[in-house]
Amino acid sequence: MVYFLTASFLLGCAIFLVSRNRDVGVGLLAQRPGNSRAGSALRGLYSLRVRLERAGLLWWSVAALVFGATYGSIFGSFDDLVKK
């Protein structure tokens, strides 16, 4: 128990010392000035959401189409097998 408390205290001190020298707000790339106004695709909450989810929605739609085509081709053949 004493080892755990000692290790926790020493780790906390080390974290405090390291965090004092952090360069908060500085990135690897310099910030570039952007447009002062957003484009039409980012004006509202709904349009931002659509833009962020666009790729996922597209891939889920493609997957559903492929899945439906696969099931359609299998069950079309399955119906012929049941009738025989």
Side-chain angles (χ1 to χ4, degrees), residues 18-27:
V18 169
S19 69
R20 262 189 358 195
N21 298 325
R22 284 188 63 208
D23 52 351
V24 177
V26 178

Side-chain angles (χ1 to χ4, degrees), residues 2-76:
V2 174
Y3 294 122
F4 177 70
L5 291 174
T6 306
S8 296
F9 177 74
L10 291 175
L11 188 61
C13 290
I15 289 171
F16 177 73
L17 291 173
V18 169
S19 69
R20 262 189 358 195
N21 298 325
R22 284 188 63 208
D23 52 351
V24 177
V26 178
L28 293 175
L29 302 174
Q31 287 186 347
R32 296 178 294 155
N35 294 337
S36 61
R37 298 187 62 82
S40 62
L42 299 174
R43 294 270 165 125
L45 210 54
Y46 181 72
S47 57
L48 174 63
R49 188 69 180 172
V50 168
R51 181 175 172 158
L52 291 175
E53 299 293 336
R54 181 177 45 198
L57 183 63
L58 174 72
W59 284 113
W60 275 104
S61 300
V62 168
L65 182 71
V66 169
F67 192 67
T70 304
Y71 262 101
S73 67
I74 290 171
F75 284 124

